Amino acid sequence: MSSLATKSAKVLIRPQRGMVGLDFRELWNFRELIVFLTWRDILVRYKQTLLGGAWAILQPLLQMLLLNLLFGEVAGLPTSGVPRPLFTFAALLPWNLFSNAVSDASRSLVANRNMITKVYFPRIIVPLANVLSGVLDFAVAFLILAGMMIYYQFAPVNLLLLPLYVLVALLTALGVGLWLAALNVHYRDVKYIIPFLTQFWMLASPIAYEAKSIFERLPEAWQWLYALNPMVGVVEGFRYALLGIPVYSENMLWVSLASSLAMLVSGLMYFRSMERTFADVV
């Protein structure tokens, strides 16, 4: 046996520089792990459920019926001339993509503690895979939305904008998910806060009502506060691209997009600063 064959390979792991520290080359080298974890999360999501993948359709449909009853039949809020089922369902798609990704990503590090404490890989891959796994559910539910648009005879205004708003929803979910995942490693109180946080965030987003009904109640100088919610811009943009409902203000849309970017960058920075402690604490 040659001397070269007897030598074991050595991998030197150096700390990354910079606060964000996102190494795209390293992520590309671990692309097979990202695909594997994403597919695993998809398979596990509906394992041992009676209806299986049908929940990807039933969940937004049941939410739509409940919101239509409360905000339509009881409160009688307007919908910009769009049938209420279509108005609500078009907003629930990006919202569910966002909220499910945040919930799953926030628990991902603790759920994968055995893998994190035994082998090295970029830790961001774990919450990233959780965020990406929700895209399949979104695609399935989008087919139902397409059928509703045909039934109500609505043609999309600008389909090319849809991938942009889906990407913004995913990046916002990743930013928030990184914050909560890192916090959950040290403080398990986070798992009790997440359900309350997502419910409050849903009511604060224009899912079952028009965004302009909130903007118009605020003084003009303070409207940007409501636009700091990134999902306001995502939902408004989604409804415009599909149903032609105009956004309240392009300036407020840019505020939402900027807020989304801030959440992503700050989430990366916080995750990066806490990453070294995960294996010891989780």
Side-chain angles (χ1 to χ4, degrees), residues 256-271:
S256 290
L257 297 179
S259 177
S260 171
L261 181 61
M263 286 188 180
L264 175 63
V265 173
S266 63
L268 286 170
M269 293 174 65
Y270 183 69
F271 192 89

PDB file of all heavy atoms in Angstrom, residues 256-271:
ATOM      1  N   SER A 256     -41.941  48.605   1.583  1.00  0.00           N
ATOM      2  CA  SER A 256     -42.102  47.192   1.943  1.00  0.00           C
ATOM      3  C   SER A 256     -40.942  46.360   1.408  1.00  0.00           C
ATOM      4  O   SER A 256     -40.425  45.470   2.110  1.00  0.00           O
ATOM      5  CB  SER A 256     -43.426  46.651   1.381  1.00  0.00           C
ATOM      6  OG  SER A 256     -44.530  47.211   2.049  1.00  0.00           O
ATOM      7  N   LEU A 257     -40.525  46.607   0.171  1.00  0.00           N
ATOM      8  CA  LEU A 257     -39.424  45.846  -0.411  1.00  0.00           C
ATOM      9  C   LEU A 257     -38.116  46.124   0.333  1.00  0.00           C
ATOM     10  O   LEU A 257     -37.310  45.211   0.567  1.00  0.00           O
ATOM     11  CB  LEU A 257     -39.279  46.175  -1.900  1.00  0.00           C
ATOM     12  CG  LEU A 257     -40.481  45.795  -2.779  1.00  0.00           C
ATOM     13  CD1 LEU A 257     -40.229  46.185  -4.237  1.00  0.00           C
ATOM     14  CD2 LEU A 257     -40.779  44.306  -2.681  1.00  0.00           C
ATOM     15  N   ALA A 258     -37.905  47.383   0.713  1.00  0.00           N
ATOM     16  CA  ALA A 258     -36.699  47.733   1.478  1.00  0.00           C
ATOM     17  C   ALA A 258     -36.723  47.073   2.853  1.00  0.00           C
ATOM     18  O   ALA A 258     -35.689  46.614   3.361  1.00  0.00           O
ATOM     19  CB  ALA A 258     -36.592  49.252   1.618  1.00  0.00           C
ATOM     20  N   SER A 259     -37.912  47.011   3.468  1.00  0.00           N
ATOM     21  CA  SER A 259     -38.049  46.357   4.763  1.00  0.00           C
ATOM     22  C   SER A 259     -37.734  44.868   4.655  1.00  0.00           C
ATOM     23  O   SER A 259     -37.097  44.288   5.541  1.00  0.00           O
ATOM     24  CB  SER A 259     -39.474  46.560   5.291  1.00  0.00           C
ATOM     25  OG  SER A 259     -39.664  45.881   6.505  1.00  0.00           O
ATOM     26  N   SER A 260     -38.160  44.259   3.551  1.00  0.00           N
ATOM     27  CA  SER A 260     -37.858  42.838   3.324  1.00  0.00           C
ATOM     28  C   SER A 260     -36.351  42.613   3.236  1.00  0.00           C
ATOM     29  O   SER A 260     -35.815  41.666   3.841  1.00  0.00           O
ATOM     30  CB  SER A 260     -38.532  42.368   2.033  1.00  0.00           C
ATOM     31  OG  SER A 260     -38.095  41.074   1.681  1.00  0.00           O
ATOM     32  N   LEU A 261     -35.671  43.488   2.498  1.00  0.00           N
ATOM     33  CA  LEU A 261     -34.217  43.364   2.360  1.00  0.00           C
ATOM     34  C   LEU A 261     -33.521  43.556   3.705  1.00  0.00           C
ATOM     35  O   LEU A 261     -32.559  42.837   4.035  1.00  0.00           O
ATOM     36  CB  LEU A 261     -33.708  44.399   1.351  1.00  0.00           C
ATOM     37  CG  LEU A 261     -32.203  44.395   1.076  1.00  0.00           C
ATOM     38  CD1 LEU A 261     -31.782  43.050   0.489  1.00  0.00           C
ATOM     39  CD2 LEU A 261     -31.820  45.535   0.136  1.00  0.00           C
ATOM     40  N   ALA A 262     -34.022  44.498   4.503  1.00  0.00           N
ATOM     41  CA  ALA A 262     -33.430  44.746   5.831  1.00  0.00           C
ATOM     42  C   ALA A 262     -33.583  43.526   6.732  1.00  0.00           C
ATOM     43  O   ALA A 262     -32.664  43.165   7.484  1.00  0.00           O
ATOM     44  CB  ALA A 262     -34.080  45.974   6.461  1.00  0.00           C
ATOM     45  N   MET A 263     -34.754  42.876   6.665  1.00  0.00           N
ATOM     46  CA  MET A 263     -34.965  41.672   7.482  1.00  0.00           C
ATOM     47  C   MET A 263     -34.033  40.554   7.062  1.00  0.00           C
ATOM     48  O   MET A 263     -33.499  39.814   7.910  1.00  0.00           O
ATOM     49  CB  MET A 263     -36.426  41.208   7.370  1.00  0.00           C
ATOM     50  CG  MET A 263     -37.401  42.076   8.121  1.00  0.00           C
ATOM     51  SD  MET A 263     -39.048  41.372   8.168  1.00  0.00           S
ATOM     52  CE  MET A 263     -39.899  42.652   9.110  1.00  0.00           C
ATOM     53  N   LEU A 264     -33.816  40.402   5.747  1.00  0.00           N
ATOM     54  CA  LEU A 264     -32.927  39.348   5.262  1.00  0.00           C
ATOM     55  C   LEU A 264     -31.486  39.597   5.707  1.00  0.00           C
ATOM     56  O   LEU A 264     -30.825  38.694   6.238  1.00  0.00           O
ATOM     57  CB  LEU A 264     -33.003  39.268   3.735  1.00  0.00           C
ATOM     58  CG  LEU A 264     -32.039  38.278   3.080  1.00  0.00           C
ATOM     59  CD1 LEU A 264     -32.355  36.853   3.519  1.00  0.00           C
ATOM     60  CD2 LEU A 264     -32.081  38.399   1.559  1.00  0.00           C
ATOM     61  N   VAL A 265     -30.998  40.820   5.518  1.00  0.00           N
ATOM     62  CA  VAL A 265     -29.604  41.130   5.868  1.00  0.00           C
ATOM     63  C   VAL A 265     -29.380  41.026   7.373  1.00  0.00           C
ATOM     64  O   VAL A 265     -28.389  40.434   7.829  1.00  0.00           O
ATOM     65  CB  VAL A 265     -29.234  42.537   5.356  1.00  0.00           C
ATOM     66  CG1 VAL A 265     -27.847  42.932   5.859  1.00  0.00           C
ATOM     67  CG2 VAL A 265     -29.273  42.575   3.834  1.00  0.00           C
ATOM     68  N   SER A 266     -30.338  41.574   8.160  1.00  0.00           N
ATOM     69  CA  SER A 266     -30.172  41.503   9.615  1.00  0.00           C
ATOM     70  C   SER A 266     -30.265  40.062  10.109  1.00  0.00           C
ATOM     71  O   SER A 266     -29.543  39.662  11.041  1.00  0.00           O
ATOM     72  CB  SER A 266     -31.217  42.377  10.313  1.00  0.00           C
ATOM     73  OG  SER A 266     -32.531  41.900  10.043  1.00  0.00           O
ATOM     74  N   GLY A 267     -31.128  39.250   9.475  1.00  0.00           N
ATOM     75  CA  GLY A 267     -31.228  37.840   9.844  1.00  0.00           C
ATOM     76  C   GLY A 267     -29.939  37.096   9.556  1.00  0.00           C
ATOM     77  O   GLY A 267     -29.486  36.285  10.377  1.00  0.00           O
ATOM     78  N   LEU A 268     -29.332  37.366   8.402  1.00  0.00           N
ATOM     79  CA  LEU A 268     -28.048  36.748   8.062  1.00  0.00           C
ATOM     80  C   LEU A 268     -26.960  37.156   9.053  1.00  0.00           C
ATOM     81  O   LEU A 268     -26.142  36.322   9.477  1.00  0.00           O
ATOM     82  CB  LEU A 268     -27.640  37.139   6.641  1.00  0.00           C
ATOM     83  CG  LEU A 268     -28.402  36.455   5.498  1.00  0.00           C
ATOM     84  CD1 LEU A 268     -28.075  37.124   4.162  1.00  0.00           C
ATOM     85  CD2 LEU A 268     -28.048  34.975   5.437  1.00  0.00           C
ATOM     86  N   MET A 269     -26.945  38.427   9.417  1.00  0.00           N
ATOM     87  CA  MET A 269     -25.928  38.919  10.347  1.00  0.00           C
ATOM     88  C   MET A 269     -26.080  38.275  11.724  1.00  0.00           C
ATOM     89  O   MET A 269     -25.092  37.839  12.337  1.00  0.00           O
ATOM     90  CB  MET A 269     -26.008  40.445  10.451  1.00  0.00           C
ATOM     91  CG  MET A 269     -25.626  41.180   9.176  1.00  0.00           C
ATOM     92  SD  MET A 269     -25.896  42.962   9.270  1.00  0.00           S
ATOM     93  CE  MET A 269     -24.721  43.414  10.535  1.00  0.00           C
ATOM     94  N   TYR A 270     -27.319  38.205  12.221  1.00  0.00           N
ATOM     95  CA  TYR A 270     -27.517  37.614  13.544  1.00  0.00           C
ATOM     96  C   TYR A 270     -27.211  36.116  13.526  1.00  0.00           C
ATOM     97  O   TYR A 270     -26.557  35.592  14.447  1.00  0.00           O
ATOM     98  CB  TYR A 270     -28.953  37.849  14.007  1.00  0.00           C
ATOM     99  CG  TYR A 270     -29.198  37.329  15.405  1.00  0.00           C
ATOM    100  CD1 TYR A 270     -28.603  37.946  16.503  1.00  0.00           C
ATOM    101  CD2 TYR A 270     -30.000  36.207  15.631  1.00  0.00           C
ATOM    102  CE1 TYR A 270     -28.798  37.467  17.782  1.00  0.00           C
ATOM    103  CE2 TYR A 270     -30.210  35.727  16.907  1.00  0.00           C
ATOM    104  CZ  TYR A 270     -29.609  36.356  17.977  1.00  0.00           C
ATOM    105  OH  TYR A 270     -29.797  35.872  19.247  1.00  0.00           O
ATOM    106  N   PHE A 271     -27.660  35.431  12.485  1.00  0.00           N
ATOM    107  CA  PHE A 271     -27.392  33.990  12.365  1.00  0.00           C
ATOM    108  C   PHE A 271     -25.895  33.740  12.316  1.00  0.00           C
ATOM    109  O   PHE A 271     -25.380  32.819  12.950  1.00  0.00           O
ATOM    110  CB  PHE A 271     -28.064  33.470  11.096  1.00  0.00           C
ATOM    111  CG  PHE A 271     -28.105  31.968  10.984  1.00  0.00           C
ATOM    112  CD1 PHE A 271     -29.160  31.256  11.517  1.00  0.00           C
ATOM    113  CD2 PHE A 271     -27.093  31.275  10.344  1.00  0.00           C
ATOM    114  CE1 PHE A 271     -29.209  29.872  11.421  1.00  0.00           C
ATOM    115  CE2 PHE A 271     -27.126  29.895  10.243  1.00  0.00           C
ATOM    116  CZ  PHE A 271     -28.193  29.195  10.781  1.00  0.00           C
TER     117      PHE A 271
END
